Amino acid sequence: MTRIRELDALRGFAVCGIMLVNTWQHHEGPKGEWWVETFFQGRFYPIFSLLFGISFVLVLRGASRWVLLRRLLWLLLFGLVQHTWYPGEVLTDYALFGLGVLLPASFLSAGWPILVLGVAALGWGTWMGGGILIIPGLFLIGMTLMELRPGRRWLLPGFVVSAAVSAVSTWLYPITGQWWIYVVAGVAGAAAYSTAIFYLRPRWLEPLGRMALTNYVTGTVVIVLTGPARWPVLAVTGVTLLAQLLFSWWWLSRFRYGPLEWAWRALTRWKPVGNRLVASDR
């Protein structure tokens, strides 16, 4: 299947944002870095969740639900292993919600009913406090967007509306103290970033996105090893992302899949999967 390069770029952008936010959180949110909480915190996991729902549909088009079940179970195992050194990992949540939400939803006709259900689930999760509770709704919305495939004409209006909602919600949150408003700001900010990335199409982010699982896991290793309050947040984030970007470019010039992506694929199919590129692939 031909890769959708805009999705890779958006996934790479989310990898960058998650690395920044996770580093900042692990360093106990140093004072003076209000800009992370205002412009970045809560904006990137929604993007990853939406992309997970989209990817589920793409995989379903070329595989059976039994293969998808195995794929989610292996992801759960990856998450449990990662949890041994990074309790804040999200892979187990994605795997469990995938099993409980995406697989059952795949038996229904994707379209407006699933979109309405997804928006309702997202609204409920937002009202109940956000966090992992917004994942199911975003999964379902992602599934529907992949089926409906809205055109590029919606990107600019979508960016303007979502950016405005995010800005107003961010301004209202300190005044009202209502947490659900902060969650709205995060989700709307995620929508603004997503539409902007789809509109701008920054190709240099694609290698990071194609190896998102590898880069996410290795990023958490770096965060744990640097330890809280030992290194500046921007230094840890910048050096790590630059190294990951260069390594991703180098690796993908020789292989089809990232290291963990290849392992996940091979374990799911339970057979060897060719990975090294040949001359005709380049």
Side-chain angles (χ1 to χ4, degrees):
M1 181 182 294
T2 303
R3 298 194 67 92
I4 302 177
R5 300 179 64 181
E6 289 83 359
L7 293 180
D8 288 331
L10 181 57
R11 195 175 289 109
F13 177 73
V15 167
C16 295
I18 286 174
M19 181 64 197
L20 172 62
V21 173
N22 284 354
T23 304
W24 176 74
Q25 289 177 337
H26 194 70
H27 287 227
E28 299 176 356
K31 293 181 180 179
E33 292 176 348
W34 57 270
W35 50 274
V36 178
E37 185 172 357
T38 302
F39 297 106
F40 299 105
Q41 188 176 22
R43 270 71 171 173
F44 296 100
Y45 280 121
I47 297 177
F48 251 153
S49 301
L50 196 74
L51 288 169
F52 197 85
I54 292 174
S55 299
F56 186 87
V57 174
L58 291 173
V59 175
L60 183 61
R61 290 177 178 177
S64 67
R65 290 181 179 84
W66 174 240
V67 172
L68 287 169
L69 174 62
R70 296 201 304 268
R71 182 177 174 86
L72 291 170
L73 290 175
W74 280 112
L75 182 65
L76 177 61
L77 181 60
F78 286 170
L80 293 174
V81 172
Q82 187 188 18
H83 193 81
T84 60
W85 78 81
Y86 191 75
E89 56 81 25
V90 75
L91 299 182
T92 54
D93 296 323
Y94 278 21
L96 292 173
F97 281 123
L99 292 168
V101 175
L102 288 177
L103 272 178
S106 69
F107 290 94
L108 304 176
S109 298
W112 291 105
I114 296 295
L115 179 60
V116 171
L117 180 61
V119 171
L122 177 60
W124 175 83
T126 299
W127 180 256
M128 295 301 293
I132 65 171
L133 296 179
I134 66 174
I135 293 176
L138 290 167
F139 276 5
L140 295 174
I141 293 172
M143 286 184 67
T144 307
L145 289 178
M146 194 61 236
E147 294 292 344
L148 297 178
R149 299 293 291 270
R152 285 184 59 83
R153 68 182 184 276
W154 294 101
L155 292 178
L156 190 56
F159 170 77
V160 172
V161 172
S162 56
V165 171
S166 181
V168 171
S169 302
T170 302
W171 172 71
L172 283 175
Y173 169 64
I175 298 174
T176 63
Q178 297 293 319
W179 181 252
W180 69 268
I181 294 179
Y182 184 80
V183 179
V184 169
V187 174
Y193 285 143
S194 298
T195 49
I197 292 297
F198 264 89
Y199 188 80
L200 297 173
R201 297 179 175 180
R203 301 302 190 194
W204 64 273
L205 288 170
E206 291 175 21
L208 282 174
R210 289 180 60 184
M211 291 175 47
L213 179 61
T214 297
N215 290 325
Y216 170 69
V217 172
T218 55
T220 61
V221 173
V222 171
I223 291 171
V224 171
L225 291 179
T226 55
R230 294 181 187 174
W231 305 92
V233 170
L234 283 179
V236 173
T237 302
V239 171
T240 302
L241 289 175
L242 179 60
Q244 289 179 333
L245 180 60
L246 294 175
F247 177 74
S248 297
W249 272 338
W250 175 84
W251 183 273
L252 292 173
S253 68
R254 292 160 173 79
F255 301 97
R256 292 185 176 91
Y257 314 108
L260 288 183
E261 287 75 13
W262 171 82
W264 190 15
R265 192 179 187 92
L267 289 169
T268 297
R269 298 184 179 277
W270 204 243
K271 64 180 181 180
V273 174
N275 197 20
R276 184 172 290 277
L277 291 173
V278 296
S280 60
D281 295 322
R282 301 182 182 183

